[in-house]
Amino acid sequence: MSRLKNYRELCLGGNIEKGGSADEFKTGDWRTLKPVYHPENCIQCLFCWAYCPDSAVVLKDGQVTGFDLDHCKGCGICAHECPGKKKVKAITMEEEVR
Amino acid sequence: MSKLVSAQTGNEAMAYAMKQVNPDVVAAYPITPATEIVQIFAQYVADGDVKTEFVAVESEHSAMSACIGSAAAGARTMTGTSSQGLALMYEMCYIAAGLRLPIVMADVNRALSAPINIHCDHSDTMGMRDAGWIHLFSENAQEAYDNMIQAVRIAEHADVQLPTLVTTDGFIISHGMENVEHLADERVQKFIGEYQPQYSILNVGKPITVGALNLQDYYFEHRRALADAQAAALPVIKQIGEEFGKESGRAYGLVEGYQLDDAEYAVVALGSTCGTAKVVIDSLRAKGEKAGLLKIRSFRPFPKDEVVQALKKVKFAAVLDRSDTLGGYGGPVFTEVRSALYGEASKPPVAGFIYGLGGREIDMEMIEELFRLMKSGEVKPDSVQYLGVRE
Ligand code: SF4
Ligand code: SF4
């Protein structure tokens, strides 16, 4: 691990001189429940993607493919919002097993 | 050049200073007795006298939040508030300082509830004395005007980059009309210069993260840097006060001594009470009494060395506090002054007096009585007492 900076070496006000740095801070280990994706019930409405507070729903070519479990904190909002197909959810919350 | 003088209340003088500063953004919510500052300023905006984006928000918490966003975007940002309004801002005020955003605030000092009261004491700003802001106290409307202009330079100075508040005493200064001398608009603009923010969240060419999480590894270092910035502000406040003197004929320091060089007895105070004390000192001096005043202009950063130097030779000093620490030993000014003097080999005895809460009058007789008590030896060194309360 690199040497930690002293207080004189820091950026003003705790700024970080790049954007999107939250990506490097893994918050996934806070989770007790994890979202599980069932593609057969998915209508690709993208509600889950829009509602996720942690940008943890992963899209590929505009289609949901799963979750970024390094950042998903298991809040369950995606599962709650998911309409699914014929009232069968495409996302269910399951106990995290570590 | 002829002098530009007009009769203004403290609020008018502060609003006028803001007009001449012409900040990029003002976000504010009205509260007695500071309402006029933003009301008058809003009129300047409506009349097109300033180019400022005025953000009318739904609370002071939002006002400070908007100021933080604006300052993080690199805009020169100002606000005004008082009392409960400032208390509602506290949470965000700590963040403004921690993010090193040079917001300038006009605060009209007013008591905090309960009981509800709209008059002057210093409890509101003292409630955020450790928030990382610079605190400049004003003795009168003229100083309020002068301090607002200097505050912009101080806050934005490369060595400082801290939010700065300028106070006036509620109603006593805010609503009292005096002659106030102004600088011409262009001289104010020249004095403050163009703001060159080090960072801006709107600069897409240089993206930054603002407000990142700091845990056990880095939080302490950032707070240490904040303490350093406060210390760095001491010479900056002095230098800008001197520069302002060259510009206006009214120079400022961190403290002001009045008849202090050969004084035997001194009072130490903040704000408008200093004006009252000066009149008392003049009359005592006319009777041959060696009375003096130490006015503290910069309460944060606290100018320890200047205070020690100024009080070194007096026989006794009475420290006046217009707020209480409730459970601490003496008011905030007393604890600072006493702590500053503690390590000195030769130091005067000091006593603390808490006075004027909720706008309770402090008159000339009361200050004269303090000098009499110090001289007669009736005040016990290190004692703390309440002045002007029915006991
Ligand atoms: S559980 Fe919460 S954090 Fe995880 S993907 Fe769903 S909405 Fe996002
Ligand atoms: S909310 Fe449910 S149905 Fe809609 S895209 Fe997400 S997983 Fe598919």
Side-chain angles (χ1 to χ4, degrees):
Chain A
M1 196 173 142
S2 60
R3 184 187 69 87
L4 294 174
K5 290 178 179 168
N6 73 38
Y7 81 89
R8 289 191 184 84
E9 298 166 332
L10 300 175
C11 279
L12 186 78
N15 287 346
I16 298 172
E17 289 185 329
K18 62 176 177 183
S21 59
D23 196 37
E24 290 164 38
F25 188 64
K26 311 286 187 227
T27 50
D29 55 0
W30 300 354
R31 210 169 39 234
T32 52
L33 295 175
K34 68 170 181 198
V36 176
Y37 181 49
H38 311 287
E40 65 279 13
N41 298 326
C42 178
I43 58 167
Q44 295 296 349
C45 66
L46 302 192
F47 277 17
C48 53
W49 173 81
Y51 277 99
C52 174
D54 286 285
S55 307
V57 176
V58 178
L59 302 189
K60 195 169 176 239
D61 302 327
Q63 305 266 298
V64 174
T65 57
F67 306 97
D68 166 8
L69 293 178
D70 282 338
H71 293 95
C72 162
K73 62 178 176 243
C75 65
I77 291 173
C78 53
H80 181 83
E81 296 298 336
C82 176
K85 202 183 277 175
K86 295 184 182 154
K87 295 192 179 159
V88 185
K89 295 264 184 194
I91 302 174
T92 52
M93 299 304 290
E94 293 177 15
E95 190 132 1
E96 180 79 67
V97 186
R98 286 201 181 86
Chain B
M1 195 160 77
S2 66
K3 286 188 171 176
L4 306 167
V5 182
S6 53
Q8 287 185 320
T9 63
N11 282 346
E12 287 167 353
M14 284 178 126
Y16 196 76
M18 288 168 71
K19 173 186 167 195
Q20 293 187 305
V21 168
N22 197 356
D24 299 314
V25 174
V26 167
Y29 189 84
I31 181 166
T32 302
T35 300
E36 282 173 334
I37 297 173
V38 278
Q39 181 187 328
I40 295 165
F41 190 80
Q43 191 67 52
Y44 292 141
V45 176
D47 292 347
D49 292 335
V50 287
K51 293 208 181 81
T52 309
E53 178 77 34
F54 185 85
V55 190
V57 286
E58 71 281 18
S59 77
E60 286 84 356
H61 192 279
S62 304
M64 186 46 60
S65 303
C67 285
I68 288 170
S70 152
R76 187 173 261 160
T77 305
M78 299 177 100
T79 187
T81 192
S82 178
S83 181
Q84 305 300 125
L86 182 63
L88 186 53
M89 281 185 185
Y90 285 164
E91 180 193 7
M92 302 314 293
C93 287
Y94 279 74
I95 293 169
L99 296 178
R100 307 288 298 277
L101 302 172
I103 297 160
V104 172
M105 179 202 293
D107 182 89
V108 180
N109 280 126
R110 168 186 146 184
L112 291 173
S113 301
I116 192 164
N117 177 291
I118 56 167
H119 289 281
C120 175
D121 71 39
H122 299 157
S123 309
D124 57 351
T125 54
M126 287 303 173
M128 56 174 278
R129 68 183 166 165
D130 301 335
W133 284 58
I134 290 170
H135 293 219
L136 299 178
F137 280 80
S138 318
E139 182 186 319
N140 48 42
Q142 180 72 64
E143 290 195 5
Y145 169 82
D146 294 345
N147 280 338
M148 283 297 278
I149 292 166
Q150 291 171 71
V152 174
R153 280 276 304 276
I154 296 165
E156 293 171 3
H157 192 283
D159 297 346
V160 180
Q161 305 196 70
L162 286 175
T164 299
L165 63 84
V166 174
T167 77
T168 62
D169 284 348
F171 290 103
I172 302 163
I173 301 175
S174 68
H175 287 63
M177 193 164 279
E178 303 168 40
N179 276 346
V180 177
E181 204 181 303
H182 303 130
L183 294 175
D185 293 354
E186 57 278 9
R187 288 174 71 200
V188 172
Q189 280 299 318
K190 200 167 147 254
F191 184 80
I192 60 174
E194 202 182 321
Y195 177 38
Q196 307 279 4
Q198 194 177 330
Y199 292 102
S200 163
I201 45 172
L202 295 185
N203 182 358
V204 289
K206 190 181 166 192
I208 52 165
T209 302
V210 173
L213 182 71
N214 277 217
L215 297 177
Q216 296 94 325
D217 54 354
Y218 273 116
Y219 179 87
F220 202 173
E221 279 68 28
H222 278 116
R223 300 307 288 188
R224 177 70 184 81
L226 198 52
D228 238 30
Q230 280 280 342
L234 286 166
V236 170
I237 295 169
K238 244 169 117 165
Q239 173 223 318
I240 289 170
E242 280 160 24
E243 264 183 60
F244 189 80
K246 287 191 199 112
E247 198 61 40
S248 66
R250 297 180 299 278
Y252 288 83
L254 295 155
V255 299
E256 177 195 327
Y258 187 76
Q259 300 281 18
L260 202 55
D261 291 344
D262 65 341
E264 293 181 342
Y265 300 96
V267 293
V268 181
L270 306 171
S272 65
T273 302
C274 296
T276 316
K278 285 175 180 175
V279 178
V280 173
I281 288 163
D282 287 347
S283 82
L284 289 173
R285 286 269 166 180
K287 290 185 226 155
E289 305 230 6
K290 291 189 167 170
L293 161 77
L294 176 63
K295 173 170 100 183
I296 297 176
R297 173 182 178 234
S298 169
F299 183 72
R300 282 289 182 271
F302 188 79
K304 172 184 180 281
D305 295 342
E306 277 76 5
V307 169
V308 168
Q309 189 61 30
L311 294 178
K312 218 162 58 185
K313 287 187 284 184
V314 305
K315 289 185 180 162
F316 203 109
V319 184
L320 296 179
D321 268 291
R322 203 164 198 151
S323 64
D324 199 351
T325 49
L326 300 176
Y329 189 67
V333 187
F334 173 74
T335 56
E336 293 286 351
V337 170
R338 186 159 167 259
S339 167
L341 292 168
Y342 185 79
E344 297 300 310
S346 114
K347 55 179 176 282
V350 289
F353 292 87
I354 290 159
Y355 76 100
L357 301 190
R360 175 65 49 86
E361 184 86 3
I362 175 143
D363 56 23
M364 301 204 302
E365 288 70 30
M366 288 161 84
I367 295 174
E368 204 173 325
E369 176 68 2
L370 282 180
F371 280 108
R372 194 193 65 74
L373 290 171
M374 284 193 274
K375 198 175 169 190
S376 67
E378 284 167 72
V379 198
K380 257 182 53 204
D382 283 336
S383 63
V384 175
Q385 40 204 299
Y386 291 86
L387 184 66
V389 72
R390 293 183 297 278
E391 299 205 346

